[in-house]
Structure formats: structure tokens, C-alpha cells
């Protein structure tokens, strides 16, 4: 996290999460946008890996994982918007919707806490309390992921 020292696995895991969200977004995007998504993911992955392996990126600064999380949140918005166009009232019965809502929730809360803790010099919380908040936000995200696994997709033809 940008709130504390980054662990060595944080960069590859956040990049892998970003790539998975990109792959999921490709499932619902129109073919014209899939091409753009492919190029954007390849470029961003190349930049991320170059920064990670050349050690030009300071380990105590978590901007790259924060950027990965923000881009995943943006992809979640795209997935929700595409799902709303395709499924209309049945969007709540779509696993992609619940996964995207979970990711968007975590992204919003993570960026909010990061902004408050760093930009406003928030002294109300210790790093342990901030990590506990982030753990709670992660728990909510994974609960929404579990909801996604339990939802049976309903198509318009079944209505």
C-alpha cells in the first residue's frame, strides 16, 4: 500500500489483479473497445514490469500498486456500464456485476484512505489502524466476490 512500506510481492500481485480485471472486462466490452483494451494492458504491463525489474521504482513508495488498483476500479466502472446496457433489469443477477461492485468498493475506499492519510496528513489513525481499515474493505470486497459465485446468471430469454 502507499500507506506503508510495500512488500516484494505487492507489485506482481497488484499487476496480476489488474490483468485479471482486464481479461474480465474484455468479456463484456464491444469488439471495438477490446482492441484498445489489449493495447492499453500490454503497454501498462510493459511499463510496470520495466519499473519493477530495473529497480528505478522506490520500494517504500506504493504509487504503482495504487495506480493498478485505480485502473482496476476504472475497468469495474466499464464492466458495470457495459452490463447495464446488455442486461438492463437483470444486472443484479450477473456475477460480473457483483465482482465489479466489490472491486469498485475497494478501489474507492482504498483511494479515499490513501488520499486522507497522505495528502491531508491524517494523524487520527496509526498505520495499524489504517491497515485494519483496508483489511475490512478487502473483506467486504471478498464477500461481494462470494456473492458473485453464488448468483445464477439469468438471461433475458429466461424472463
Amino acid at each position: 500500500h502507499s500507506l506503508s512500506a510495500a512488500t516484494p510481492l505487492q507489485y506482481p500481485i497488484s499487476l496480476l489483479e489488474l490483468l485479471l480485471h482486464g481479461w474480465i472486462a474484455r468479456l463484456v466490452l464491444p469488439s471495438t473497445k477490446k482492441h484498445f483494451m489489449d493495447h492499453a494492458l500490454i503497454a501498462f504491463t510493459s511499463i510496470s514490469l520495466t519499473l519493477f525489474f530495473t529497480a528505478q521504482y522506490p520500494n517504500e513508495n506504493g504509487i504503482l500498486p495504487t495506480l493498478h488498483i485505480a485502473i482496476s476500479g476504472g475497468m469495474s466502472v466499464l464492466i458495470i456500464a457495459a452490463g447495464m446496457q446488455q442486461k438492463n433489469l437483470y444486472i443484479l443477477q450477473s456475477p460480473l456485476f457483483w465482482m465489479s461492485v466489490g472491486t469498485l468498493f475497494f478501489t474507492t475506499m482504498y483511494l479515499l484512505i490513501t488520499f486522507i492519510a497522505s495528502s491531508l496528513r491524517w494523524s487520527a489513525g496509526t498505520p495499524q489502524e489504517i491497515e485494519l481499515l483496508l483489511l475490512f474493505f478487502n473483506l467486504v470486497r471478498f464477500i461481494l466476490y462470494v456473492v458473485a459465485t453464488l448468483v445464477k446468471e439469468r438471461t433475458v430469454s429466461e424472463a
Side-chain angles (χ1 to χ4, degrees):
H1 310 292
S2 61
L3 305 173
S4 61
T7 62
L9 288 178
Q10 187 174 358
Y11 297 118
I13 289 173
S14 67
L15 180 61
L16 181 62
E17 183 179 12
L18 174 70
L19 293 174
L20 287 173
H21 281 103
W23 181 71
I24 290 171
R26 287 188 86 254
L27 296 174
V28 295
L29 290 177
S31 60
T32 56
K33 294 181 182 176
K34 286 181 184 180
H35 188 66
F36 172 76
M37 176 73 77
D38 290 342
H39 288 295
L41 283 175
I42 289 169
F44 194 72
T45 301
S46 299
I47 292 168
S48 297
L49 290 175
T50 300
L51 290 173
F52 179 73
F53 286 116
T54 59
Q56 296 296 318
Y57 199 77
N59 287 339
E60 66 275 358
N61 191 350
I63 292 174
L64 196 58
T66 301
L67 189 57
H68 291 170
I69 289 171
I71 292 172
S72 290
M75 284 185 209
S76 294
V77 170
L78 288 175
I79 292 169
I80 291 170
M84 289 175 81
Q85 289 177 349
Q86 294 172 359
K87 303 214 186 281
N88 297 329
L89 295 176
Y90 300 106
I91 189 146
L92 295 177
Q93 297 172 346
S94 169
L96 284 178
F97 171 78
W98 290 104
M99 288 180 64
S100 297
V101 167
T103 300
L104 191 59
F105 171 79
F106 177 77
T107 299
T108 305
M109 293 297 112
Y110 180 90
L111 294 175
L112 182 67
I113 291 295
T114 301
F115 174 75
I116 289 172
S118 61
S119 298
L120 301 180
R121 311 276 188 248
W122 183 35
S123 60
T126 65
Q128 293 82 12
E129 291 171 341
I130 293 170
E131 292 294 325
L132 188 60
L133 272 175
L134 291 175
L135 181 65
F136 172 74
F137 298 146
N138 240 333
L139 179 64
V140 171
R141 174 173 64 162
F142 288 119
I143 288 172
L144 290 170
Y145 285 1
V146 168
V147 169
T149 64
L150 298 174
V151 169
K152 180 185 180 304
E153 180 119 24
R154 184 174 179 183
T155 61
V156 178
S157 63
E158 293 176 356

